[in-house]
């Protein structure tokens, strides 16, 4: 596993948040299911697109009939549902060990998430993760799959994007990582330069 990629040549790691560093899948499912019920969209359709995409893009796709003001209200509603529900938000398997390993060996890391800053901070606090660099959907003009956020994170770390590893768990996020020019790693079976069963494997790759 890991192919021809030598992670020892990686100078920085750029993480997605939800589903990659933070296990919030159940919260996302609950919040968006409630939103779908309230907005008349079948739950299966909602959950098929909610993970990894910016909320505004998800709402625009699911309810294109809403006016601009109604979309703002719909976005605010799902944000409130998610902020209020962090009861079972925890780090993903291997996340804390990987962060500790990167800090021990001197590899800087950052997070780029499709979540707004308010939600990102709530979930990261719940998971006990404190990044020195956090880029959210509030900081970019174009969300995933556009690479802007990952390019911004690399810039803030002062590391060329070609020397960075993007770690993602969704196709839309992986597309952003690939478009940025970074090496990519995928959990949950998504195809990437490095395929990971979980983040424990990345710890092994950085230390073996």
């Amino acid at each position: 596993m890991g192919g021809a990629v030598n992670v020892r040549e990686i100078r920085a790691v750029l993480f997605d948040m939800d589903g990659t560093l933070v296990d919030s899948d159940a919260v996302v499912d609950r919040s968006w299911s409630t939103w779908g019920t309230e907005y008349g969209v079948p739950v299966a359709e909602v959950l098929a697109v909610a993970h990894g995409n910016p909320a505004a893009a998800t709402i625009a796709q699911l309810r294109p009939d809403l006016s601009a003001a109604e979309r703002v209200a719909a976005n605010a509603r799902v944000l409130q549902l998610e902020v209020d529900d962090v009861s079972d938000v925890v780090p993903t398997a291997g996340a804390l060990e990987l962060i500790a390993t990167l800090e021990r060996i001197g590899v800087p890391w950052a997070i780029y998430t499709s979540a707004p800053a308010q939600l990102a901070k709530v979930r990261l606090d719940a998971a006990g993760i404190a990044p020195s660099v956090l880029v959210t959907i509030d900081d970019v003009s174009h969300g995933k799959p556009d690479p802007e956020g990952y390019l911004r994170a690399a810039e803030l770390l002062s590391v060329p994007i070609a020397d960075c590893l993007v770690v993602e768990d969704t196709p839309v996020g992986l597309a952003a990582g690939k478009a940025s020019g970074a090496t990519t790693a995928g959990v949950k079976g998504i195809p990437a330069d490095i395929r990971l069963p979980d983040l424990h494997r990345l710890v092994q790759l950085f230390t073996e």
Side-chain angles (χ1 to χ4, degrees):
M1 187 175 297
V5 177
N6 181 2
V7 299
R8 296 294 186 90
E9 298 177 355
I10 296 297
R11 294 178 53 199
V13 180
L14 312 178
F15 293 102
D16 168 57
M17 182 182 73
D18 290 308
T20 300
L21 279 184
V22 175
D23 185 354
S24 56
D25 287 355
V27 173
V28 172
D29 286 353
R30 285 195 300 267
S31 299
W32 278 100
S33 294
T34 298
W35 181 92
T37 299
E38 293 178 357
Y39 277 81
V41 183
V43 170
E45 291 183 21
V46 174
L47 298 185
V49 296
H51 290 272
N53 285 303
T58 299
I59 291 166
Q61 179 177 343
L62 295 172
R63 287 294 308 270
D65 58 306
L66 296 179
S67 68
E70 288 170 333
R71 289 185 188 183
V72 169
N75 203 343
R77 175 55 178 155
V78 76
L79 174 60
Q80 193 60 55
L81 287 167
E82 293 188 296
V83 167
D84 289 345
D85 187 359
V86 294
S87 59
D88 52 1
V89 171
V90 295
T92 57
L96 298 183
E97 181 185 1
L98 176 55
I99 289 170
T101 297
L102 294 176
E103 293 180 347
R104 177 173 57 80
I105 65 178
V107 175
W109 59 280
I111 294 174
Y112 167 45
T113 174
S114 294
Q118 179 186 5
L119 178 58
K121 291 173 182 177
V122 167
R123 286 187 177 160
L124 289 169
D125 285 348
I129 296 172
S132 59
V133 172
L134 172 63
V135 179
T136 74
I137 193 65
D138 298 333
D139 301 312
V140 298
S141 299
H142 305 285
K144 299 174 184 179
D146 190 278
E148 180 184 353
Y150 280 124
L151 293 171
R152 177 63 175 153
E155 179 184 12
L156 290 171
L157 291 177
S158 299
V159 176
I161 191 66
D163 295 331
C164 294
L165 177 68
V166 165
V167 186
E168 273 281 358
D169 74 311
T170 64
V172 67
L174 183 65
K178 287 181 177 293
S180 75
T183 300
T184 58
V187 295
K188 300 182 181 177
I190 63 172
D193 298 317
I194 305 172
R195 294 195 184 196
L196 305 169
D198 56 38
L199 296 182
H200 287 298
R201 177 55 180 152
L202 200 49
V203 173
Q204 295 171 350
L205 291 174
F206 271 106
T207 56
E208 66 184 13

